Amino acid sequence: QQQVKQSPQSLIVQKGGISIINCAYENTAFDYFPWYQQFPGKGPALLIAIRPDVSEKKEGRFTISFNKSAKQFSLHIMDSQPGDSATYFCAARSLNDYKLSFGAGTTVTVRA
Amino acid sequence: DGGITQSPKYLFRKEGQNVTLSCEQNLNHDAMYWYRQDPGQGLRLIYYSQIVNDFQKGDIAEGYSVSREKKESFPLTVTSAQKNPTAFYLCATGGRDRGAEKLFFGSGTQLSVL
């Protein structure tokens, strides 16, 4: 049973557009929410992360929005570029055992 | 990538065979992890180790075994008891406990059944 539900499974966006990926969770013991980016044939790499005491975090073209009361968080990729084409995983870390639970992943394709 | 080396990149398993996936790191990280990646299912934790000579089962440990005899190495054996072993296997490292906020992943091993 997946503890972090991620949607959509895939999305296609035009170059310069905005990509939005959503994640939801139920476990109130989660205290840290990272996003990982994975290119084909490679391992994931940490992209950006947020803690629940902050509602938004921005790094370059990537922004995490966090809604603690709704137990939801999302990744926005502004001005999407072909090089952003990858699979994105949201995750959540439990305060109880520090293990990460990953979402199912979203494959983003940016068309030039 | 970087200081984590997984080998081989591709591996084929015959029926009833045990196979071992290698993971070596030079990042001096205490914690090491094995994840299994299947299309549409994200990353699922198989085993993890926070210190040498100690390891814990993750969410899908059945049919797998590990050892942690050295800080740098955390090999994963896929046993014949794992009936559906075809997947992309990822090794990761990080700090211990709260320090494990950033995981570093290797480039993975694709295991297929002949």
Side-chain angles (χ1 to χ4, degrees), chain B residues 48-76:
Chain B
Y48 65 105
S49 167
Q50 295 204 337
I51 197 167
V52 174
N53 292 322
D54 186 44
F55 49 83
Q56 287 78 41
K57 293 181 179 180
D59 302 316
I60 55 165
E62 187 174 348
Y64 301 97
S65 65
V66 293
S67 62
R68 186 85 186 276
E69 297 177 1
K70 299 185 302 181
K71 187 175 184 177
E72 300 79 20
S73 178
F74 191 41
L76 172 74

Short mmCIF file of all heavy atoms in Angstrom, two decimals, chain B residues 48-76:
data_model
loop_
_atom_site.label_atom_id
_atom_site.label_comp_id
_atom_site.label_asym_id
_atom_site.label_seq_id
_atom_site.Cartn_x
_atom_site.Cartn_y
_atom_site.Cartn_z
N TYR B 48 17.81 -2.08 4.48
CA TYR B 48 18.68 -0.96 4.74
C TYR B 48 19.59 -1.26 5.92
O TYR B 48 19.29 -2.12 6.75
CB TYR B 48 17.88 0.34 4.96
CG TYR B 48 16.98 0.36 6.18
CD1 TYR B 48 17.34 1.08 7.31
CD2 TYR B 48 15.77 -0.31 6.17
CE1 TYR B 48 16.51 1.12 8.41
CE2 TYR B 48 14.93 -0.27 7.28
CZ TYR B 48 15.30 0.45 8.39
OH TYR B 48 14.46 0.49 9.48
N SER B 49 20.69 -0.53 5.95
CA SER B 49 21.69 -0.73 7.00
C SER B 49 22.19 0.64 7.44
O SER B 49 22.55 1.46 6.62
CB SER B 49 22.85 -1.56 6.47
OG SER B 49 23.96 -1.52 7.33
N GLN B 50 22.17 0.87 8.75
CA GLN B 50 22.64 2.16 9.25
C GLN B 50 24.05 2.08 9.83
O GLN B 50 24.65 3.12 10.13
CB GLN B 50 21.67 2.69 10.29
CG GLN B 50 20.30 3.00 9.70
CD GLN B 50 19.53 4.03 10.50
OE1 GLN B 50 19.79 4.22 11.68
NE2 GLN B 50 18.59 4.70 9.87
N ILE B 51 24.55 0.85 9.97
CA ILE B 51 25.87 0.68 10.54
C ILE B 51 26.41 -0.68 10.13
O ILE B 51 25.62 -1.60 9.84
CB ILE B 51 25.83 0.84 12.07
CG1 ILE B 51 27.21 1.10 12.66
CG2 ILE B 51 25.14 -0.35 12.72
CD1 ILE B 51 27.16 1.55 14.09
N VAL B 52 27.72 -0.82 10.13
CA VAL B 52 28.33 -2.10 9.76
C VAL B 52 27.83 -3.22 10.66
O VAL B 52 27.61 -3.01 11.85
CB VAL B 52 29.87 -1.98 9.84
CG1 VAL B 52 30.53 -3.33 9.58
CG2 VAL B 52 30.37 -0.98 8.82
N ASN B 53 27.62 -4.39 10.06
CA ASN B 53 27.18 -5.60 10.75
C ASN B 53 25.76 -5.51 11.30
O ASN B 53 25.38 -6.30 12.17
CB ASN B 53 28.15 -5.99 11.88
CG ASN B 53 29.50 -6.43 11.35
OD1 ASN B 53 29.58 -7.10 10.32
ND2 ASN B 53 30.55 -6.04 12.04
N ASP B 54 24.99 -4.57 10.78
CA ASP B 54 23.59 -4.46 11.19
C ASP B 54 22.75 -4.04 10.00
O ASP B 54 23.16 -3.17 9.22
CB ASP B 54 23.44 -3.43 12.32
CG ASP B 54 22.03 -3.42 12.86
OD1 ASP B 54 21.46 -4.52 13.08
OD2 ASP B 54 21.47 -2.33 13.07
N PHE B 55 21.57 -4.66 9.82
CA PHE B 55 20.68 -4.27 8.75
C PHE B 55 19.26 -4.65 9.13
O PHE B 55 19.03 -5.49 10.01
CB PHE B 55 21.08 -4.94 7.41
CG PHE B 55 21.31 -6.43 7.49
CD1 PHE B 55 20.24 -7.32 7.43
CD2 PHE B 55 22.59 -6.94 7.60
CE1 PHE B 55 20.45 -8.68 7.49
CE2 PHE B 55 22.82 -8.30 7.67
CZ PHE B 55 21.75 -9.18 7.61
N GLN B 56 18.31 -3.97 8.49
CA GLN B 56 16.89 -4.19 8.78
C GLN B 56 16.12 -4.46 7.50
O GLN B 56 16.48 -3.94 6.43
CB GLN B 56 16.27 -2.97 9.47
CG GLN B 56 16.69 -2.77 10.92
CD GLN B 56 18.07 -2.17 11.03
OE1 GLN B 56 18.42 -1.28 10.28
NE2 GLN B 56 18.85 -2.68 11.97
N LYS B 57 15.04 -5.20 7.64
CA LYS B 57 14.15 -5.44 6.50
C LYS B 57 13.38 -4.18 6.17
O LYS B 57 12.96 -3.43 7.06
CB LYS B 57 13.17 -6.56 6.81
CG LYS B 57 13.82 -7.94 6.96
CD LYS B 57 12.77 -9.00 7.24
CE LYS B 57 13.42 -10.37 7.36
NZ LYS B 57 12.41 -11.42 7.64
N GLY B 58 13.18 -3.98 4.87
CA GLY B 58 12.31 -2.90 4.42
C GLY B 58 10.91 -3.44 4.18
O GLY B 58 10.47 -4.38 4.83
N ASP B 59 10.23 -2.86 3.22
CA ASP B 59 8.83 -3.22 2.98
C ASP B 59 8.65 -4.49 2.16
O ASP B 59 7.60 -5.12 2.21
CB ASP B 59 8.12 -2.05 2.28
CG ASP B 59 8.19 -0.78 3.09
OD1 ASP B 59 7.98 -0.85 4.32
OD2 ASP B 59 8.48 0.29 2.51
N ILE B 60 9.67 -4.87 1.37
CA ILE B 60 9.52 -6.04 0.49
C ILE B 60 10.77 -6.94 0.56
O ILE B 60 11.35 -7.29 -0.43
CB ILE B 60 9.27 -5.59 -0.98
CG1 ILE B 60 10.37 -4.63 -1.47
CG2 ILE B 60 7.90 -4.92 -1.11
CD1 ILE B 60 10.37 -4.45 -2.98
N ALA B 61 11.15 -7.35 1.75
CA ALA B 61 12.40 -8.10 1.95
C ALA B 61 12.32 -9.58 1.54
O ALA B 61 13.36 -10.22 1.35
CB ALA B 61 12.82 -7.99 3.40
N GLU B 62 11.14 -10.13 1.41
CA GLU B 62 11.01 -11.56 1.14
C GLU B 62 11.68 -11.94 -0.19
O GLU B 62 11.42 -11.32 -1.22
CB GLU B 62 9.54 -11.97 1.10
CG GLU B 62 9.33 -13.47 0.97
CD GLU B 62 7.88 -13.87 1.09
OE1 GLU B 62 7.05 -13.03 1.49
OE2 GLU B 62 7.58 -15.03 0.77
N GLY B 63 12.55 -12.96 -0.13
CA GLY B 63 13.23 -13.42 -1.33
C GLY B 63 14.56 -12.72 -1.57
O GLY B 63 15.23 -12.98 -2.58
N TYR B 64 14.95 -11.85 -0.65
CA TYR B 64 16.22 -11.12 -0.76
C TYR B 64 17.04 -11.32 0.51
O TYR B 64 16.49 -11.58 1.58
CB TYR B 64 15.97 -9.62 -0.94
CG TYR B 64 15.17 -9.25 -2.15
CD1 TYR B 64 13.79 -9.01 -2.06
CD2 TYR B 64 15.78 -9.10 -3.40
CE1 TYR B 64 13.05 -8.66 -3.17
CE2 TYR B 64 15.04 -8.73 -4.51
CZ TYR B 64 13.68 -8.52 -4.39
OH TYR B 64 12.94 -8.16 -5.49
N SER B 65 18.36 -11.17 0.39
CA SER B 65 19.23 -11.16 1.56
C SER B 65 20.36 -10.17 1.32
O SER B 65 20.69 -9.85 0.19
CB SER B 65 19.80 -12.55 1.85
OG SER B 65 20.66 -12.97 0.82
N VAL B 66 20.92 -9.65 2.43
CA VAL B 66 22.00 -8.68 2.34
C VAL B 66 23.06 -8.99 3.40
O VAL B 66 22.84 -9.80 4.30
CB VAL B 66 21.51 -7.22 2.56
CG1 VAL B 66 20.60 -6.77 1.44
CG2 VAL B 66 20.82 -7.11 3.92
N SER B 67 24.20 -8.32 3.28
CA SER B 67 25.22 -8.35 4.31
C SER B 67 25.86 -6.98 4.36
O SER B 67 25.82 -6.23 3.38
CB SER B 67 26.27 -9.43 4.02
OG SER B 67 26.95 -9.15 2.82
N ARG B 68 26.44 -6.63 5.51
CA ARG B 68 27.14 -5.35 5.63
C ARG B 68 28.39 -5.60 6.48
O ARG B 68 28.46 -5.26 7.65
CB ARG B 68 26.23 -4.31 6.30
CG ARG B 68 26.86 -2.90 6.32
CD ARG B 68 26.63 -2.13 5.09
NE ARG B 68 27.33 -0.88 5.03
CZ ARG B 68 26.90 0.28 5.56
NH1 ARG B 68 25.78 0.31 6.26
NH2 ARG B 68 27.62 1.36 5.42
N GLU B 69 29.38 -6.19 5.85
CA GLU B 69 30.63 -6.52 6.54
C GLU B 69 31.61 -5.36 6.52
O GLU B 69 32.52 -5.29 7.35
CB GLU B 69 31.25 -7.77 5.91
CG GLU B 69 30.38 -9.01 6.06
CD GLU B 69 30.96 -10.22 5.36
OE1 GLU B 69 32.06 -10.10 4.79
OE2 GLU B 69 30.32 -11.28 5.40
N LYS B 70 31.45 -4.46 5.56
CA LYS B 70 32.30 -3.29 5.46
C LYS B 70 31.44 -2.06 5.26
O LYS B 70 30.36 -2.15 4.67
CB LYS B 70 33.26 -3.41 4.26
CG LYS B 70 34.20 -4.58 4.30
CD LYS B 70 35.18 -4.52 3.13
CE LYS B 70 34.47 -4.50 1.79
NZ LYS B 70 35.46 -4.47 0.65
N LYS B 71 31.91 -0.92 5.70
CA LYS B 71 31.15 0.32 5.55
C LYS B 71 30.92 0.63 4.08
O LYS B 71 29.89 1.19 3.71
CB LYS B 71 31.92 1.47 6.21
CG LYS B 71 31.15 2.78 6.26
CD LYS B 71 31.93 3.82 7.04
CE LYS B 71 31.14 5.10 7.18
NZ LYS B 71 31.85 6.11 7.99
N GLU B 72 31.87 0.26 3.23
CA GLU B 72 31.81 0.66 1.84
C GLU B 72 30.91 -0.22 0.98
O GLU B 72 30.60 0.12 -0.14
CB GLU B 72 33.22 0.61 1.23
CG GLU B 72 34.24 1.51 1.89
CD GLU B 72 34.78 0.94 3.19
OE1 GLU B 72 34.67 -0.28 3.40
OE2 GLU B 72 35.30 1.73 4.00
N SER B 73 30.51 -1.38 1.49
CA SER B 73 29.88 -2.38 0.64
C SER B 73 28.57 -2.90 1.22
O SER B 73 28.48 -3.18 2.42
CB SER B 73 30.87 -3.53 0.44
OG SER B 73 30.31 -4.55 -0.34
N PHE B 74 27.57 -3.08 0.35
CA PHE B 74 26.26 -3.56 0.80
C PHE B 74 25.66 -4.42 -0.32
O PHE B 74 24.74 -4.00 -1.02
CB PHE B 74 25.38 -2.36 1.13
CG PHE B 74 24.09 -2.68 1.85
CD1 PHE B 74 24.04 -3.63 2.87
CD2 PHE B 74 22.91 -2.01 1.53
CE1 PHE B 74 22.87 -3.90 3.55
CE2 PHE B 74 21.72 -2.27 2.21
CZ PHE B 74 21.70 -3.22 3.21
N PRO B 75 26.14 -5.63 -0.51
CA PRO B 75 25.64 -6.47 -1.60
C PRO B 75 24.24 -7.02 -1.33
O PRO B 75 23.89 -7.32 -0.19
CB PRO B 75 26.67 -7.61 -1.67
CG PRO B 75 27.27 -7.65 -0.30
CD PRO B 75 27.25 -6.26 0.22
N LEU B 76 23.48 -7.16 -2.40
CA LEU B 76 22.12 -7.69 -2.33
C LEU B 76 22.06 -9.00 -3.10
O LEU B 76 22.46 -9.05 -4.27
CB LEU B 76 21.13 -6.69 -2.95
CG LEU B 76 19.68 -7.17 -3.13
CD1 LEU B 76 18.97 -7.21 -1.77
CD2 LEU B 76 18.92 -6.27 -4.09
#
